[in-house]
């Protein structure tokens, strides 16, 4: 909130295990970002989206099952202390979880659509890519989507487009890695010496 985007990214006090995308989105799109209690409320309501999209995925995968059962199964997410705590306290974890769930929903709709649409493909690539920007651990999501796309019996142009767009969507994070000299901001690297998040610690990858 106090700095422009470029200065904030290279600021020595920047700390976190994720890219600044969450803060960028909230700064420019969330009018409650500067008021903690209202911000918590906004994250809480945003977190309600997770089980909604999970329900949509279950409906695609298990179309023969009653909607009431699928609704209750998808609602189990609300019982997760991890998910619930992040929603209640306005933490960052649910951004990645929700974008990951949306990615899985989009890839399923793309796979099952009779007429393959380039816009649907772009949405899959975009949401699965930003999932990594929200949480590096969720790299499994774009890898899974990419695998499903490559395995599909579709026009080769869709596969080439996927490779090109995934590369383009990765460029901002590759730039961050370059200026941070690691996967996370320098301060985070310093405070977590036992993790392999910086260039100089790559020798400890084992």
């Amino acid at each position: 909130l106090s700095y422009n985007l470029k200065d904030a990214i290279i600021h020595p006090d920047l700390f976190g295990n994720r890219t600044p995308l969450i803060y960028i989105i909230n700064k420019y799109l969330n009018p409650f970002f500067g008021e903690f209690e209202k911000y918590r409320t906004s994250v809480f309501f945003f977190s309600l989206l997770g089980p909604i999209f999970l329900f949509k995925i279950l409906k695609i995968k298990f179309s023969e099952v009653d909607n009431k059962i699928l609704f209750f199964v998808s609602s189990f997410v609300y019982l997760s202390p991890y998910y619930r705590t992040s929603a209640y306290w306005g933490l960052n974890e649910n951004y990645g979880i929700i974008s990951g769930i949306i990615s899985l929903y989009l890839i399923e709709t793309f796979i099952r659509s009779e007429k393959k649409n380039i816009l649907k493909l772009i949405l899959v690539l975009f949401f699965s890519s930003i999932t990594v920007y929200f949480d590096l651990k969720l790299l499994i999501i774009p890898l899974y989507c990419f695998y499903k796309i490559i395995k599909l019996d579709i026009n080769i142009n869709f596969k080439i487009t996927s490779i090109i767009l995934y590369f383009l969507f990765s460029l901002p994070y590759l730039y961050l890695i370059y200026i941070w000299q690691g996967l996370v901001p320098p301060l985070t690297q310093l405070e977590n010496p036992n993790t392999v998040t910086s260039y100089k610690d790559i020798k400890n990858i084992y």
Side-chain angles (χ1 to χ4, degrees):
L1 287 174
S2 304
Y3 295 86
N4 64 50
L5 179 57
K6 181 180 178 181
D7 291 340
I9 288 174
I10 63 174
H11 197 282
D13 290 337
L14 179 64
F15 183 88
N17 290 309
R18 300 171 178 86
T19 75
L21 180 61
I22 293 171
Y23 308 117
I24 295 170
I25 289 175
N26 277 289
K27 178 175 181 177
Y28 293 107
L29 298 180
N30 188 346
F32 308 117
F33 190 40
E35 303 174 67
F36 183 63
E37 292 303 325
K38 290 182 179 179
Y39 173 70
R40 278 180 54 193
T41 303
S42 70
V43 174
F44 175 81
F45 281 107
F46 173 74
S47 298
L48 297 176
L49 293 175
I52 292 173
F53 279 95
L54 182 58
F55 170 77
K56 288 179 172 290
I57 296 173
L58 294 175
K59 196 171 180 180
I60 293 172
K61 300 282 282 187
F62 306 101
S63 56
E64 73 283 357
V65 178
D66 186 86
N67 281 346
K68 292 179 181 178
I69 296 175
L70 298 181
F71 172 78
F72 283 114
V73 170
S74 60
S75 297
F76 288 167
V77 174
Y78 293 132
L79 300 179
S80 163
Y82 183 83
Y83 191 88
R84 190 177 64 240
T85 299
S86 183
Y88 182 78
W89 290 109
L91 304 179
N92 297 332
E93 285 81 359
N94 290 356
Y95 290 93
I97 294 172
I98 291 171
S99 62
I101 292 173
I102 292 174
S103 301
L104 297 178
Y105 166 70
L106 291 171
I107 189 64
E108 286 298 327
T109 55
F110 177 76
I111 290 171
R112 293 166 187 266
S113 59
E114 292 184 9
K115 188 176 181 181
K116 297 295 183 281
N117 186 304
I118 190 67
L119 179 59
K120 289 182 179 178
L121 177 65
I122 292 173
L123 287 174
V124 171
L125 302 174
F126 175 75
F127 274 96
S128 60
S129 293
I130 65 169
T131 299
V132 181
Y133 285 82
F134 288 135
D135 197 330
L136 185 58
K137 296 189 298 294
L138 296 175
L139 180 63
I140 187 68
I141 298 294
L143 289 176
Y144 171 80
C145 292
F146 182 68
Y147 172 78
K148 298 290 279 188
I149 292 168
I150 294 300
K151 292 287 287 183
L152 270 180
D153 183 19
I154 54 175
N155 190 305
I156 188 66
N157 290 332
F158 283 98
K159 300 182 180 183
I160 294 173
T161 300
S162 299
I163 294 171
I164 293 172
L165 286 182
Y166 265 137
F167 172 72
L168 292 177
F169 289 147
S170 72
L171 289 178
Y173 197 23
L174 292 175
Y175 173 70
L176 288 175
I177 292 172
Y178 171 73
I179 63 173
W180 287 343
Q181 295 294 293
L183 298 175
V184 294
L187 184 59
T188 311
Q189 299 173 30
L190 187 65
E191 294 291 328
N192 297 280
N194 294 322
T195 60
V196 185
T197 53
S198 65
Y199 288 166
K200 63 183 178 60
D201 292 328
I202 196 68
K203 61 182 181 297
N204 299 322
I205 191 65
Y206 64 87

